[in-house]
Amino acid sequence: MPQLIAANWKMNGRLDWVDKVGELAALTGEAVCERLICPPHPLVGAMARAAQGSGIAIGAQDCSEHEAGAHTGETEAALLAALGARYVILGHSERRTGGETDDRVKAKAERAVGSGLRPLVCVGESLAEREAGTAIPVVEAQLSGSLPQQGDYDIAYEPVWAIGTGRTATARDVAEMHAAIRRHVGVGPRILYGGSVKPDNAALLLGVPEVGGALVGGASLEMESFAQIVHAAKAD
Ligand code: PEP
């Protein structure tokens, strides 16, 4: 599968950010990878319409584990799919820190798969866990608890200490973790790296064996920098 270069806009965006789809399309027309933008929920429908015919996929940053019903403030996976979303980020560390458990991530992933969305399930260790030498078992436990039983999905390995901090894991650490994740899950899912991916380190990180793409936060808010990361992706 081609590498997946995914933008996580987090809680950033205004109505006119819909235009960024056209900007990205113009900057990356010849992309060898798959491009994905995950805006805040209220922009998903308009962005999916704007992305039609561009080859750029639109995704969400979360979904409910429930079917439609009395769940105030939640967003149903089937509604996101109907709006044109193709992917959904699940289990991001910013949500796990807020109390999201592996069980809940798994239930959401299964609901997403059943609704026609492809989950991008995030895992990653804290700095304390890395320093204690437990990064791999911690991530393996998250994988065992969070992945859907069936259906297609991708994984994003995001060391918590590298998200939004400007610190990245070394290529050696990324290679070791991605190999461990591949052993755990077998063939199939892409394993993205996330954590302070920028234009100047993207080629190195995207060249590490078993890295199937990048999940990008801060550097995805400006299309010029996100496009440079897209251009650093490898062909199949
Ligand atoms: C993220 O939010 O998933 C992320 C990797 O953010 P950043 O690129 O800003 O570290």
Side-chain angles (χ1 to χ4, degrees), residues 9-21 37-51 57-61 75 79-80 83-85 221:
W9 280 1
K10 312 191 185 194
M11 201 174 74
N12 296 293
R14 290 287 180 263
L15 292 181
D16 61 358
W17 284 39
V18 170
D19 300 342
K20 288 182 187 257
V21 177
I37 301 178
C38 299
H41 285 169
L43 294 181
V44 164
M47 291 204 48
R49 282 193 298 280
I58 302 301
Q61 299 173 20
T75 305
L79 177 59
L80 292 165
L83 286 170
L221 301 180

Side-chain angles (χ1 to χ4, degrees), residues 6-10 89 92-94 122 156-168 193-198 214-221 229:
N8 175 14
W9 280 1
K10 312 191 185 194
I89 297 169
H92 191 280
S93 68
E94 287 156 13
C122 301
Y157 166 58
E158 299 204 301
V160 177
W161 47 271
I163 296 176
T165 60
R167 291 182 64 184
T168 49
Y193 171 78
S196 297
V197 177
K198 309 283 180 208
L215 180 55
V216 187
S220 74
L221 301 180
I229 297 170

Side-chain angles (χ1 to χ4, degrees), residues 47-215:
M47 291 204 48
R49 282 193 298 280
Q52 270 173 10
S54 69
I56 297 170
I58 302 301
Q61 299 173 20
D62 188 36
C63 68
S64 174
E65 68 271 43
H66 301 294
E67 282 188 318
H71 305 288
T72 303
E74 296 286 301
T75 305
E76 193 192 6
L79 177 59
L80 292 165
L83 286 170
R86 289 184 35 220
Y87 286 83
V88 59
I89 297 169
L90 294 173
H92 191 280
S93 68
E94 287 156 13
R95 301 196 62 83
R96 289 182 184 267
T97 305
E100 188 131 314
T101 61
D102 285 340
D103 281 352
R104 192 153 182 230
V105 176
K106 179 176 183 164
K108 290 180 175 195
E110 290 181 346
R111 180 68 63 196
V113 165
S115 305
L117 296 175
R118 186 174 176 111
L120 178 52
V121 179
C122 301
V123 293
E125 80 285 358
S126 67
L127 186 57
E129 289 160 343
R130 174 147 292 268
E131 287 176 348
T134 58
I136 289 178
V138 162
V139 166
E140 285 172 340
Q142 289 174 337
L143 293 167
S144 297
S146 310
L147 296 177
Q149 292 280 15
Q150 46 194 329
D152 293 330
Y153 62 87
D154 296 304
I155 294 164
Y157 166 58
E158 299 204 301
V160 177
W161 47 271
I163 296 176
T165 60
R167 291 182 64 184
T168 49
T170 64
R172 192 173 156 184
D173 288 341
V174 173
E176 185 188 37
M177 182 61 82
H178 280 236
I181 294 173
R182 178 62 71 207
R183 279 195 299 277
H184 193 88
V185 301
V187 291
R190 283 172 291 195
I191 308 166
L192 280 62
Y193 171 78
S196 297
V197 177
K198 309 283 180 208
D200 61 357
N201 61 21
L204 174 72
L205 292 162
L206 288 166
V208 173
E210 291 296 356
V211 170
L215 180 55

